Amino acid sequence: MSATTPGTPSPPTVGALLAAGGHSFSFEFFPPKTDDGERLLWQAIRELEGLRPTFVSVTYGAGGSTRDRTVRITQRIAEETTLLPMGHLTCVGSSVAELRSVIGSYADAGVRNVLALRGDPPGGPGSPWEQHPEGLAHADELVTLVRSLGDFSVGVAAFPERHPESASLDDDARVLLAKQEAGAEFAVTQMFFEASHYFAMIERARALGCTIPVLPGIMPLTNINQLERFAILSGTAFPDDLAARFRAVADDPDAVHALGVEAASDLCQELLDGGAPGLHFFTLNRSTSAREIYTGLGLGASASA
Ligand SMILES: NC(=O)C1=CN([C@@H]2O[C@H](COP(=O)(O)OP(=O)(O)OC[C@H]3O[C@@H](n4cnc5c(N)ncnc54)[C@H](O)[C@@H]3O)[C@@H](O)[C@H]2O)C=CC1
Ligand SMILES: Nc1nc(=O)c2c([nH]1)NC[C@@H]1CN(c3ccc(C(=O)N[C@@H](CCC(=O)O)C(=O)O)cc3)CN21
């Protein structure tokens, strides 16, 4: 049954849950391309459901290529699970009319939480950004659009180590403030591997008047091939000392996995101890690492409030 069914109370929004305080824990998935991938996704969702995360999110692929799948998966999460879904949305390759239509689909699907992003350039991270001729240039404009179209709780991206196209870390702080002023209620960060980057970013943002909660995005490294891939996605190098520790056990997949869980757990603990409002895990549609970290940190289901 849809969350919008008359008589059924709407669940609280992500923004409201974060504003209520307590730690938030969330998991991010991507829309799979194959039937096998789809089975793995639902298996991971079911396995993580028992941890009672605050919310789960589904990414929006390059050029809107996953538009229908992202909406369909978030709708099914809303209708068939106990989880609160957030759908991602990007400006890439879409006119404003098309963006309005996707936002309408989210509303029809009972999805009220949206992560509003500009998104990666059509050629992938690192290539030049191309605005759609009838589209939007920056995420703050998308925040304004989503907020204007309904009762949505809107989140945005934040960058502890500088967005690859930004001139400076201070520019990123100003952009985050612009997103808040456009109506964003919370932010999720790009992946990073040293807590100091997160805390320094929070200080820069707070100094400008940014008050929204910023959830750290956690990417556990679970195989050695991800070292390079994550550097490309995040636009920053993986720290040398940590990379060396991974390379030393590169021939032993179990040891790489164990080290990945250990490194991510240490990072999570440092973030929570330092006052982060929660943790957002990029799961890559697998539940194992996230569950191991979650359990290792001693975060039972009771911590999800
Ligand atoms: N597809 C998905 O589901 C996801 C995509 N992403 C990402 O989306 C990222 C880009 O999106 P956002 O961070 O939302 O983009 P953004 O629009 O906030 O920033 C993109 C660039 O434009 C600049 N900028 C932003 N607003 C501006 C303004 N008003 N005036 C002048 N310059 C401005 C920023 O400094 C930055 O260099 C990608 O790099 C990637 O990390 C992140 C998470 C999930
Ligand atoms: N630059 C950038 N773009 C993003 O879309 C993005 C970020 N950063 N950082 C935060 C999260 C993490 N996201 C990710 C991270 C990894 C994969 C990934 O490994 N994808 C596989 C394809 C998987 C498949 O389709 O089967 C890949 O090989 O790229 C996808 C989205 C989405 N988000």
Side-chain angles (χ1 to χ4, degrees), residues 28-31 57-62 66 70 87-92 115-121 125-126 129 137-142 155-159 162-168 171-176 178-179 188-191 233-234 280 282:
E28 179 170 311
F29 305 99
F30 65 83
S57 82
V58 181
T59 62
Y60 196 83
T66 69
T70 301
H88 295 205
L89 180 61
T90 78
C91 306
V92 183
L115 193 71
L117 306 148
R118 186 203 67 178
D120 290 315
W129 164 250
H138 299 294
D140 55 336
E141 299 168 42
L142 186 59
V156 293
F159 294 84
R162 193 172 66 78
H163 186 280
E165 296 162 49
S166 294
S168 70
D171 266 12
D172 281 341
R174 281 188 281 275
V175 167
L176 188 59
K179 292 172 178 180
V188 177
T189 76
Q190 175 59 291
M191 64 185 87
L233 272 179
S234 67
H280 180 79
F282 306 116

Side-chain angles (χ1 to χ4, degrees), residues 193-257:
F193 300 92
E194 289 172 75
S196 58
H197 292 305
Y198 171 85
F199 292 120
M201 174 199 64
I202 296 292
E203 265 185 41
R204 285 189 298 274
R206 297 285 181 254
L208 293 183
C210 205
T211 54
I212 55 176
V214 181
L215 297 172
I218 306 295
M219 179 71 92
L221 191 94
T222 52
N223 73 61
I224 205 78
N225 302 325
Q226 292 169 335
L227 264 180
E228 177 67 10
R229 199 142 53 88
F230 293 171
I232 293 169
L233 272 179
S234 67
T236 58
F238 204 77
D240 286 341
D241 50 343
L242 198 50
R245 287 174 68 199
F246 276 106
R247 289 206 184 90
V249 295
D251 295 336
D252 180 350
D254 291 342
V256 171
H257 176 90

Side-chain angles (χ1 to χ4, degrees), residues 55-145:
F55 68 96
V56 296
S57 82
V58 181
T59 62
Y60 196 83
S65 56
T66 69
R67 178 182 314 165
D68 296 344
R69 279 178 285 149
T70 301
V71 174
R72 182 170 54 75
I73 293 165
T74 48
Q75 174 164 15
R76 191 170 154 196
I77 291 170
E79 293 180 353
E80 297 182 15
T81 77
T82 58
L83 298 163
L84 180 65
M86 172 168 81
H88 295 205
L89 180 61
T90 78
C91 306
V92 183
S94 297
S95 64
V96 169
E98 287 162 343
L99 292 170
R100 283 176 186 273
S101 154
V102 184
I103 297 161
S105 306
Y106 274 136
D108 292 346
V111 176
R112 290 174 65 211
N113 306 288
V114 173
L115 193 71
L117 306 148
R118 186 203 67 178
D120 290 315
S127 48
W129 164 250
E130 292 161 36
Q131 183 184 355
H132 185 286
E134 286 143 34
L136 303 177
H138 299 294
D140 55 336
E141 299 168 42
L142 186 59
V143 175
T144 303
L145 181 68

